[in-house]
């Protein structure tokens, strides 16, 4: 059996390299001895017959309307994947497009697909561009990345990805970052996220494998590579002044 990881709209939604999270999943699955492939889906016509995980990266505001138009063609599939336990990782504007909607400073809005609770709203201050350190809800693990957004996110207080230790996250003094519904994750964490946080990548791969009736155990090569990721994380945490980590 070959696991299929779809990266949605990579030509539009890859501003921060977040579409490459799909490549991380494929590589780690291969290191674990599983057959896996990545499929770039730019329109509904590109959809493979079976989908085991989905990655939707972040794009620019200039591409919001076009990205929404293309994602609407996949609305039924996205809803079916989300309710059927298919892992979906959405980052930045990709996450916002899966929400209830995006509000603009001029009072106009972009209607979201309603896959995830909450909506993106204009920040009262300047754009946030800084390191982001989060304690993951449920596991207590540290997640690291870089946030770069001009909007806050409201309406997801009951199901965050985690608690902000350093950075802004969802904003509005919530102290929270991201949103999770089942196996669907929305986050501001760029990096790409899964390269910087291999434990989260393995969690997604475990869910993928279990759904397909397979067993995922990180391979020896993954353990070697993770030492480099760990060193990079420690350096970033030290620079951000994040003490008392779980690492």
């Amino acid at each position: 059996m070959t696991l299929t990881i779809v990266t949605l709209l990579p030509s539009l939604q890859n501003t921060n390299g977040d579409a490459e999270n799909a490549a991380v999943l494929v590589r780690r699955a291969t290191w674990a001895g599983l057959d896996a492939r990545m499929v770039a889906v730019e329109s509904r016509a590109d959809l493979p017959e079976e989908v085991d995980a989905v990655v939707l990266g972040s794009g620019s505001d200039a591409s919001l309307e076009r990205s929404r138009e293309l994602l609407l063609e996949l609305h039924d599939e996205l809803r079916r994947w989300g309710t059927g336990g298919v892992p979906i990782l959405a980052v930045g504007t990709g996450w916002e497009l899966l929400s209830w909607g995006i509000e603009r400073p001029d009072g106009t809005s972009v209607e979201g697909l309603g896959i995830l609770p909450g909506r993106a709203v204009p920040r009262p201050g300047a754009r946030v561009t800084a390191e982001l350190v989060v304690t993951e809800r449920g596991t207590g693990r540290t997640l690291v990345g870089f946030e770069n957004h001009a909007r806050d996110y409201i309406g997801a207080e009951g199901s965050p990805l985690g608690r902000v230790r350093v950075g802004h996250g969802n904003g509005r003094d919530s102290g929270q970052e991201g949103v999770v519904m089942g196996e669907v994750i929305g986050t501001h964490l760029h990096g790409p996220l899964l390269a910087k946080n291999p434990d989260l990548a393995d969690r997604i791969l475990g869910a993928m494998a279990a759904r397909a009736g397979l067993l995922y155990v990180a391979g020896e090569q993954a353990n070697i590579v993770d030492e480099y990721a760990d060193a990079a994380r420690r350096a970033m945490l030290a620079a951000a002044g994040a003490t008392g980590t779980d690492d």
Side-chain angles (χ1 to χ4, degrees):
M1 177 180 183
T2 299
L3 296 172
T4 300
I5 295 97
V6 161
T7 178
L8 290 179
L9 313 184
S11 66
L12 295 172
Q13 298 293 125
N14 195 23
T15 299
N16 297 281
D18 300 303
E20 303 310 317
N21 283 305
V24 175
L25 292 174
V26 170
R27 185 59 58 89
R28 295 184 73 85
T30 301
W31 288 340
L34 301 175
D35 288 329
R37 64 171 180 155
M38 179 174 65
V39 176
V41 172
E42 299 287 1
S43 70
R44 199 174 194 283
D46 299 329
L47 270 182
E49 197 168 308
E50 297 293 333
V51 173
D52 296 289
V54 177
V55 168
L56 176 58
S58 184
S60 68
D61 278 8
S63 67
L64 278 177
E65 296 285 359
R66 179 55 178 160
S67 291
R68 177 184 179 275
E69 179 183 336
L70 292 167
L71 288 173
L72 275 176
E73 298 177 2
L74 303 170
H75 182 269
D76 290 347
E77 284 79 8
L78 282 162
R79 188 165 294 281
R80 176 167 51 82
W81 295 332
T83 57
V86 174
I88 301 175
L89 174 64
V91 183
T93 61
W95 164 29
E96 293 176 343
L97 284 165
L98 296 189
S99 75
W100 296 333
I102 302 167
E103 297 178 11
R104 293 176 166 138
D106 64 3
T108 63
S109 63
V110 177
E111 186 178 358
L113 275 69
I115 305 299
L116 284 168
R119 67 176 56 249
V121 297
R123 291 199 66 244
R127 169 180 287 272
V128 175
T129 53
E131 302 291 354
L132 180 58
V133 181
V134 177
T135 298
E136 187 182 10
R137 184 183 184 212
T139 68
R141 291 185 303 229
T142 297
L143 302 175
V144 303
F146 187 82
E147 57 181 335
N148 177 12
H149 54 101
R151 287 181 286 268
D152 290 334
Y153 197 91
I154 60 174
E157 290 75 17
S159 54
L161 175 61
R163 176 177 56 82
V164 175
R165 293 206 342 241
V166 175
H168 186 80
N170 293 352
R172 304 295 167 110
D173 297 319
S174 69
Q176 297 178 339
E177 160 55 23
V179 63
V180 177
M181 178 171 284
E183 296 299 334
V184 186
I185 299 172
T187 183
H188 293 108
L189 286 159
H190 302 294
L193 168 64
L194 300 184
K196 289 186 173 182
N197 301 277
D199 283 346
L200 182 58
D202 285 346
R203 169 185 145 186
I204 293 172
L205 284 161
M208 282 173 50
R211 187 174 177 276
L214 303 172
L215 177 65
Y216 172 79
V217 178
E220 183 178 346
Q221 185 61 38
N223 295 329
I224 294 171
V225 170
D226 290 353
E227 293 181 10
Y228 294 99
D230 184 59
R233 284 161 50 83
R234 289 180 182 276
M236 197 223 94
L237 289 167
T243 59
T245 72
D246 57 278
D247 298 83

